Amino acid sequence: MSILRARILGTGSALPEKSVANAELASRVDTSDEWITQRTGIRSRHIAGEGESTAGLALAAATQALKESGIGAAQVDAVIAATTTPDEIFPSVATRIQAGLGMTRGFAFDVQAVCSGFLYALTVADQFIRNGTARTVLVTGAETLSRIVDWTDRSTCILFGDGAGAVVLRAFEDEGSSSDRGILGSRLYSDGRMHDLLYAAGGPGSAGPKGAIKMQGREVFRHAVDEMAKVVDEVLTAGGFSRADLDWLVPHQANRRIIEATAQKLGLSMDKVVLTVDHHGNTSAASIPLALHEARARFRPGDLMVLEALGGGFTWGGVALRW
Ligand code: ACO
């Protein structure tokens, strides 16, 4: 049976100019490079300056992804932007990307699922491709989390960073077998009862548009490790694969310890795990596409990988794909 598969044609990324090392944070709050490195694996993160924006970073990443794909904006049918830190309440970041690329057709919208946002957006794009609504979809993950961080709260301000990543997905007619290249399957979950463990209050419908991130770190850590290992197994099993078939794990880059504990639960060696958290920090929806772009030279066509993430909500999920 032939089916339409969403294959990644190219990737792109963009980071703010300024990289902030742990030592600089230690001059602002009561922390140290040693504490941050040991507990999180983060050494530096990029922080947006004046004139840098979520839409601007997303547009730069999208432009590079199109270039690497060898296609023009006129061939894009849809833009889906994952973000929790849009520059404006409306319109969407995706329509800003659309305008920035000079697109005069297609449709564009945002997806908000915090750190799982890119996986949600990728899964929505995959549905459009599978059912024939769109042939080419641009998916971005972009954040300026530094703007909703409480810079006096040492338990959260050390974790987050800004940036953007993008992928171009194109429909390919394939056999519908597990050896097809492209997105093979995904699982998405959310549980709104976990609100209080990780949230940023504020918003146009309540206290005003601006809030700051609040987090119960230990609880988030525990849930992340449990759910990540489970969802990786689920997407593998659904595709008829086992853990041993996996060439790469591309996790949301929240904390090196979460990633190592997840890999350990899965019995996966760390050289199969893409790690960028040391120099990106947690960039929420941007972290997975940033990691894909950075590691792309290490991937070979046909490599089996699972992307996984957990974030505020909670939302979480996994996507299995062949590169
Ligand atoms: N510098 C120095 N000390 C600190 C800092 C800091 N930046 N932050 C907290 N501490 C102190 C605490 O006050 C506490 O002190 P006490 O023992 O005197 O009370 C001590 O360090 C231990 O605090 P814990 O919160 O128990 O430390 P933990 O080992 O759990 O590490 C961390 C904290 C890094 C936040 C961890 O819980 C974590 O990474 N959780 C996951 C959170 C996360 O990644 N969230 C991102 C969004 S969700 C996601 O993307 C998966």
Side-chain angles (χ1 to χ4, degrees):
M1 184 189 69
S2 116
I3 66 159
L4 290 168
R5 288 269 190 220
R7 209 181 277 178
I8 294 180
L9 280 190
T11 63
S13 78
L15 291 162
E17 210 175 307
K18 187 175 164 58
S19 169
V20 175
N22 291 344
E24 191 175 331
L25 296 183
S27 68
R28 291 197 217 170
V29 288
D30 182 14
T31 188
S32 65
D33 176 34
E34 193 191 0
W35 193 96
I36 301 171
T37 307
Q38 272 182 7
R39 302 280 178 136
T40 72
I42 300 168
R43 292 179 185 277
S44 62
R45 73 288 289 142
H46 288 258
I47 300 291
E50 228 177 284
E52 289 177 312
S53 65
T54 297
L57 292 166
L59 177 61
T63 303
Q64 187 179 23
L66 286 175
K67 195 169 171 217
E68 286 212 356
S69 304
I71 66 165
Q75 292 176 59
V76 177
D77 302 308
V79 180
I80 308 179
T83 188
T84 299
T85 46
D87 307 308
E88 297 176 303
I89 294 165
F90 71 84
S92 65
V93 167
T95 56
R96 302 277 300 279
I97 299 169
Q98 189 189 26
L101 291 174
M103 281 172 65
T104 53
R105 55 177 287 278
F107 60 95
F109 64 94
D110 287 1
V111 165
Q112 208 275 58
V114 206
C115 300
S116 319
F118 183 73
L119 298 188
Y120 272 60
L122 209 56
T123 302
V124 173
D126 183 38
Q127 304 304 313
F128 283 135
I129 284 180
R130 278 175 192 254
N131 69 25
T133 305
R135 180 163 177 261
T136 307
V137 185
L138 174 66
V139 182
T140 66
E143 305 281 9
T144 46
L145 282 176
S146 63
R147 290 177 178 149
I148 57 163
V149 161
D150 175 354
W151 286 102
T152 64
D153 176 5
R154 69 175 181 174
S155 69
T156 54
C157 76
I158 51 135
L159 298 173
F160 298 100
D162 302 332
V167 301
V168 174
L169 295 176
R170 164 68 58 89
F172 281 84
E173 228 169 87
D174 238 324
E175 284 174 9
S177 79
S178 59
S179 56
D180 291 351
R181 289 177 62 201
I183 297 178
L184 299 172
S186 61
R187 286 282 186 283
L188 300 179
Y189 294 100
S190 63
D191 185 346
R193 291 171 301 176
M194 303 296 169
H195 171 278
D196 291 359
L197 299 184
L198 181 58
Y199 66 97
S206 60
K210 187 102 186 205
I213 296 171
K214 301 263 184 268
M215 183 179 72
Q216 294 176 37
R218 282 211 167 170
E219 281 303 300
V220 176
F221 193 108
R222 189 172 63 78
H223 283 278
V225 175
D226 284 352
E227 300 301 352
M228 292 305 83
K230 258 194 258 170
V231 84
V232 171
D233 272 337
E234 267 183 55
V235 287
L236 284 174
T237 307
F241 303 110
S242 73
R243 293 171 177 181
D245 296 320
L246 203 55
D247 295 302
W248 297 101
L249 182 69
V250 187
H252 167 49
Q253 307 287 316
N255 179 320
R256 192 186 166 104
R257 282 162 56 219
I258 294 178
I259 295 170
E260 283 173 348
T262 306
Q264 198 179 1
K265 262 198 160 185
L266 291 166
L268 208 64
S269 136
M270 280 304 285
D271 34 286
K272 290 186 169 186
V273 180
V274 176
L275 270 179
T276 59
V277 69
D278 58 321
H279 54 288
H280 289 165
N282 180 347
T283 57
S284 193
S287 95
I288 290 177
L290 272 169
L292 283 176
H293 183 72
E294 194 172 292
R296 71 198 184 292
R298 293 156 66 194
F299 304 151
R300 288 159 308 165
D303 276 359
L304 179 69
M305 58 182 73
V306 172
L307 324 178
E308 47 90 340
L310 177 138
F314 287 158
T315 59
W316 67 100
V319 172
L321 66 89
R322 261 194 209 287
W323 192 251

